[in-house]
Amino acid sequence: MNYEISKEAIDIQAIINKVVRRDVGAITTFIGTVRELTKGKKTLFLIYEAYESMAVKKLEQIGKEIEERWQGSVVAITHRVGRLEITDVAVVIAVSTPHRADAYEANRYAIERIKEIVPIWKKEHWEDGESWMGNQLETVAYPKGRPEEKDLNE
Amino acid sequence: MNKVMFFAHLRDKVGKECLLIEASGKTVAELKAEITKEYSLDKMDTVMTAINEEFAGNEEIIQDEDVIAFIPPVSGG
């Protein structure tokens, strides 16, 4: 199970262990955490919600894309859901590859793709209210009802 | 029958996690328009649709038993 949605705190080392191989020379780990201040506004805590079965499928898709694009790579991703406090770990991405440059690049690709296609949402709670976050600038529209090829393949 | 699922702000607005409705034969766009009107939803042009856990285009025709999900802009990570 290299792709999971977790209701519990993520064991970072366990995710890393999933991508350990004798023939890799680099493992990069991305740890996404809950930030207190966004543009000067103080977050108290977050709630993450997922369309879990589809989210796991989309994480698997991202892993497949990486393994096709970066030869010999192995990917593991776990995203947490539920209530998270400031500094809690929301997502862990581990990528192993034979050489270091690929491990950095592929890991960056994974987090950017998560922000595009994985059905997970966060609700920010502030002192004066709460709101589901999305593309707040509303710069992204899907006139055809789904992401365009350019959104999916960049 | 079709299960129609809502998430994030759509779930708050509709007041339910899902609905059971008869949508087979309709296109995604038709179903979206109906639900938008019934629940006075806005900004629906930013909402994607999934059929059976795969993103689907507006022109796609819904079959009996398909599970439909409306996916607002995502904010994971």
Side-chain angles (χ1 to χ4, degrees):
Chain A
M1 295 290 286
N2 277 26
Y3 306 94
E4 291 183 302
I5 300 296
S6 171
K7 292 177 182 70
E8 315 295 328
I10 303 171
D11 175 355
I12 297 167
Q13 188 60 48
I15 311 302
I16 295 170
N17 290 347
K18 292 178 185 179
V19 303
V20 171
R21 298 288 185 280
R22 295 184 70 86
D23 54 355
V24 308
I27 297 174
T28 52
T29 311
F30 175 82
I31 303 165
T33 60
V34 178
R35 181 178 57 235
E36 182 167 45
L37 290 173
T38 298
K39 291 177 185 159
K41 196 162 188 179
K42 189 174 170 183
T43 298
L44 300 179
F45 64 93
L46 295 181
I47 303 281
Y48 277 99
E49 173 184 297
Y51 179 7
E52 189 171 333
S53 52
M54 182 172 171
V56 169
K57 276 192 188 172
K58 291 287 132 190
L59 291 175
E60 283 169 356
Q61 178 189 325
I62 292 168
K64 223 173 273 171
E65 288 171 6
I66 289 172
E67 285 161 14
E68 279 167 17
R69 191 154 154 184
W70 286 277
Q71 278 284 307
S73 59
V74 182
V75 184
I77 307 172
T78 295
H79 201 298
R80 193 171 166 197
V81 292
R83 177 178 165 139
L84 275 75
E85 310 296 330
I86 307 304
T87 76
D88 277 355
V89 174
V91 61
V92 176
I93 303 166
V95 179
S96 67
T97 59
H99 303 285
R100 67 184 179 281
D102 284 354
Y104 277 110
E105 256 183 57
N107 201 308
R108 176 67 189 266
Y109 177 86
I111 186 64
E112 301 304 334
R113 290 293 276 155
I114 286 172
K115 289 173 180 292
E116 289 168 351
I117 65 163
V118 181
I120 298 174
W121 301 270
K122 72 172 167 189
K123 192 179 208 175
E124 295 251 10
H125 289 255
W126 306 290
E127 278 157 339
D128 59 350
E130 57 184 51
S131 180
W132 285 106
M133 310 308 284
N135 184 296
Q136 289 181 290
L137 300 173
E138 290 161 33
T139 51
V140 178
Y142 301 100
K144 291 182 181 165
R146 65 178 163 202
E148 310 258 357
E149 286 300 303
K150 65 175 170 53
D151 297 325
L152 290 175
N153 296 322
E154 63 189 10
Chain B
M1 290 299 274
N2 299 93
K3 186 177 177 186
V4 181
M5 304 174 75
F6 301 98
F7 296 94
H9 72 274
L10 291 179
R11 180 176 288 184
D12 294 347
K13 197 84 194 279
V14 172
K16 290 178 191 145
E17 290 185 18
C18 61
L19 299 172
L20 272 179
I21 57 172
E22 187 57 65
S24 66
K26 288 176 187 162
T27 64
V28 163
E30 285 166 351
L31 175 65
K32 203 189 230 186
E34 276 177 28
I35 301 239
T36 301
K37 200 174 161 199
E38 191 170 342
Y39 293 95
S40 309
L41 304 175
D42 51 10
K43 297 177 200 157
M44 286 298 279
D45 58 339
T46 65
V47 172
M48 297 182 279
T49 309
I51 297 180
N52 302 327
E53 303 175 356
E54 228 6 280
F55 289 113
N58 280 335
E59 68 288 351
E60 228 165 290
I61 307 227
I62 297 162
Q63 312 290 322
D64 193 28
E65 302 291 310
D66 278 351
V67 175
I68 317 299
F70 290 114
I71 314 271
V74 302
S75 48

